[in-house]
Amino acid sequence: GDSGALCSVRQLMKQFYNDTYSDRTGELIGTFPLTLLWSLTVSMFPFGGFIGSLLVGPLVNYFGRKGTLLFNNIFSIVPAIFMGCSKIAKAFELIIISRFLVGICAGVSSNVVPMYLGELAPKNLRGALGVVPQLFITIGILVAQLFGLRSVLANEEGWPVLLALTGVPAVLQVLLLPFFPESPRYLLIQKKNEDAARKALRRLRGWDDVGQEVEEIRREDEAERAQGFISVRKLFRLKSLRWQLISIIVLMAGQQLSGVNAIYYYADGIYSDAGVKANDVQYVTAGTGAVNVVMTFCTVLVVELWGRKLLLLLGFSTCVLACTVLTVALALQDTAPWLPYVSIACVIIYVIGHALGPSPIPALLITEIFLQSSRPAAFMVGGSVHWLSNFTVGLIFPFIQVGLGPYSFIIFAIICLLTVIYTFLIIPETKSKTFIEINQIFANLNKVPGVHPEKEELKTFPSAPEKQQ
């Protein structure tokens, strides 16, 4: 919940930058350099996220999934200490460096956590478990909003503590994660260690007979072996992964360019215009955060029931509607006294829509539509698109806002609409299917033969599980 924490302490930190600068040089900092420093502080986080995404492939293949998550905590604990000390040290550079490091941490974990959970999960729970990281992200944002209330930590003394809190989850992870097993798929396919994989599966499932699942992973391994390890360069060249790759890029870009950060950025202004008292805006914002948590929790419950595709269509369509109505409401704001309340409703409906599909589903789909050998590279591409889009929106939105005013949300409505159309036409439903079956659907889309044509016994494989049920 890093961006959540920053919003609430914006003024305090700008003041700190100002004081530090005048302590050093004896003069006040100009408006432009201050805005620039602040933009740097904000955008260092997604930039770090982008770098983190590029590290994912090498890290997960070297340290394993669990090992990478443990190693990654360095990038959370060190900056937390830096940020906590920044005020005492009178160095705003520490904050900017920390934002970059925390960004790397977020970039790695936002890709490795869904990969790890997706590989651990039995296929009938893969979706629910895959959405759980997003649930914890929304809880993190809410906690940051609560700690960021002026009465709690968003004050003169408290803000360095607020920024340092990002280290707390990392410390917990260092203490708890060692007790969790490594991904069985990683152990069997990359490490070729079947005993370890069986042991991990037994611990995860809580029963001894894991033969069928080991068999499934081994089949996935055979289907893959012809491909070898797939680098990002190779990923862009392979015809057999073309639509998977396009889908991930479209969904990740759609998720970030749909305006979710802009809505949060704009929300305070919308609430104020609706007559919410200046001091109460922070509580409405925290309320929106709570709605986000509740809706993401609902997604965890329904993702195995309704499926991924429906949630994406529902979520993005809701965002189209909310952005369109919001544009009208903002444009006509002064003509009727009740219109500002329509704007508030739109913000909340938008948040609900985004929490249903666009936020949680794309990362889950990367795990599902790529097999083991291409998964790290796919997460690197998806992660890079995610963070670069995030970075771009953060950088460009303030200018769009000045240029277009309320009409800026039309751009987001169009992006969401295009994503809806793409999802409807291309994305297959993946719930309760094995990774091989999903691969087969895309093989048909890519007009390539599926799992090795030369192996007859594998041809019938995708239809085999139905007979057993």
Side-chain angles (χ1 to χ4, degrees), residues 379-441:
F379 268 103
M380 284 163 77
V381 173
S384 305
V385 172
H386 171 107
W387 291 104
L388 283 175
S389 307
N390 188 326
F391 182 69
T392 312
V393 171
L395 226 51
I396 294 176
F397 182 69
F399 299 106
I400 295 180
Q401 200 188 347
V402 172
L404 290 176
Y407 300 104
S408 45
F409 287 103
I410 282 292
I411 299 175
F412 299 129
I414 293 168
I415 290 171
C416 291
L417 183 64
L418 292 173
T419 317
V420 168
I421 296 168
Y422 181 88
T423 304
F424 182 74
L425 296 175
I426 304 290
I427 308 269
E429 184 46 69
T430 55
K431 71 168 185 187
S432 300
K433 292 187 167 69
T434 66
F435 288 138
I436 298 260
E437 291 166 4
I438 297 166
N439 203 46
Q440 198 69 45
I441 300 173

Side-chain angles (χ1 to χ4, degrees), residues 11 43 100 172 191 201 225 279 283 299 317 330 417 427:
Q11 290 326 112
S43 52
F100 177 64
L172 286 175
K191 286 279 176 242
L201 272 172
R225 202 164 286 149
N279 197 43
Y283 300 110
T299 305
S317 306
L330 288 173
L417 183 64
I427 308 269

Side-chain angles (χ1 to χ4, degrees), residues 10 13-14 42 51 59 61 80 98 138 215 222 232 243 246 280 284 318 335 352 357 380 382 402 452 460 465:
R10 193 182 305 162
M13 285 172 71
K14 282 185 171 175
V42 176
I51 302 295
L59 285 175
N61 289 320
S98 303
T138 56
E215 200 42 49
E222 278 168 15
V232 173
W243 280 108
I246 297 171
D280 297 343
V284 183
T318 308
T335 56
I352 290 174
M380 284 163 77
V402 172
H452 310 316
T460 54

Side-chain angles (χ1 to χ4, degrees), residues 341-359:
Y341 296 103
V342 176
S343 311
I344 292 190
C346 285
V347 171
I348 292 168
I349 290 168
Y350 180 94
V351 168
I352 290 174
H354 214 273
L356 265 182
S359 284

Side-chain angles (χ1 to χ4, degrees), residues 52 80 83 124 130 147 167 177-178 207 209 311 320 324 330 350 467:
M83 287 201 268
N124 57 325
F147 277 123
L177 194 63
W207 55 73
D209 182 26
L311 286 174
V320 174
T324 313
L330 288 173
Y350 180 94
K467 289 189 199 117

